[in-house]
Amino acid sequence: MLTLFHAPRSRSSRIITLLRELDAVDKVAIEIVDITRGDGSGRKDPKNPHPEGKVPLLVHDGVVLWESIAIIQYLTDLFPEKRMAPAAGDAQRGRYLSWLAWYAGVVEPVLIAQAAGLSHPYLDATFRGPAELAERLENALKDSPYLMGDRYTAVDLLLHSPFAWYPAATPDSAFVKAWVERCGERPSLQWTTDFDTRTTAAA
């Protein structure tokens, strides 16, 4: 039994998109919960087993998984048929895992610090800055349409997501902008938008 705890139009929306890409929406029970939003709306939902009241959270046969990176890795391994991730033993597996970790360890901290107007040598030394982030993405994308090469994978879904939410943070690079646009054209994203709209309207 798989259950995803999801709040519409939140970080868990990208997990809904992933499930659509994996053709696994009908294999997961989606439990709609409330969350505390950045604007102060919402609340910590007692139905959500996440200790901090956040989403996404996945429960599989009683085992609880939290954090988008862990859930993405788990689901792509559980449903490998659509090849949204290199399988264990594949020569590209390490590169894929590195992109996932880079998102959590660098991309989100850098973008959040940028949005908050924070700048400090400790932050730059630990996480790098927007310029280094942009350079890394541009170098990866100047010779291929996606981060893993010619094929769209879960790392593209994940790493493009903050630029879809916050377009002003998109690096000023033709290669990166084209990649963000390319990822944004996936039918799964429109499906998720429609799903979240229907779910919000029904609440």
Side-chain angles (χ1 to χ4, degrees):
M1 179 67 180
L2 275 163
T3 302
L4 175 69
F5 290 83
H6 167 59
R9 299 178 181 139
S10 74
R11 278 182 170 85
S12 60
S13 293
R14 59 196 176 195
I15 306 302
I16 299 292
T17 302
L18 177 63
L19 289 172
R20 182 69 174 177
E21 289 280 357
L22 295 171
D23 195 21
V25 173
D26 61 346
K27 299 177 178 68
V28 180
I30 300 173
E31 183 76 25
I32 304 301
V33 295
D34 201 0
I35 56 169
T36 303
R37 304 276 179 171
D39 62 2
S41 65
R43 64 189 176 94
K44 187 175 180 179
D45 196 325
K47 293 186 299 181
N48 184 358
H50 194 296
E52 298 160 21
K54 294 187 175 185
V55 291
L57 183 123
L58 184 71
V59 180
H60 190 191
D61 292 338
V63 177
V64 177
L65 294 92
W66 65 98
E67 298 298 331
S68 293
I69 312 308
I71 292 170
I72 287 170
Q73 185 177 338
Y74 192 83
L75 288 173
T76 53
D77 287 349
L78 193 63
F79 301 109
E81 294 82 8
K82 296 297 182 179
R83 296 172 57 205
M84 285 293 286
D90 188 293
Q92 293 298 311
R93 178 72 170 186
R95 183 181 176 195
Y96 164 79
L97 295 176
S98 294
W99 279 121
L100 290 182
W102 188 69
Y103 175 83
V106 175
V107 175
E108 278 218 353
V110 167
L111 294 181
I112 289 171
Q114 181 183 18
L118 298 176
S119 179
H120 192 280
Y122 285 179
L123 294 174
D124 294 341
T126 302
F127 301 114
R128 281 75 82 192
E132 290 83 3
L133 185 153
E135 182 180 14
R136 187 71 175 275
L137 287 174
E138 184 171 56
N139 286 339
L141 293 164
K142 63 186 179 182
D143 294 321
S144 61
Y146 298 109
L147 292 172
M148 294 293 294
D150 292 332
R151 186 178 181 84
Y152 176 84
T153 68
V155 295
D156 298 291
L157 187 157
L158 175 66
L159 270 85
H160 118 277
S161 63
F163 306 119
W165 280 99
Y166 183 45
T170 304
D172 188 17
S173 159
F175 296 110
V176 178
K177 288 179 178 178
W179 166 71
V180 171
E181 183 177 357
R182 196 176 301 122
C183 292
E185 292 171 348
R186 302 288 296 184
S188 58
L189 284 168
Q190 185 59 54
W191 190 93
T192 299
T193 298
D194 295 342
F195 176 84
D196 279 353
T197 299
R198 291 195 308 270
T199 301
T200 302

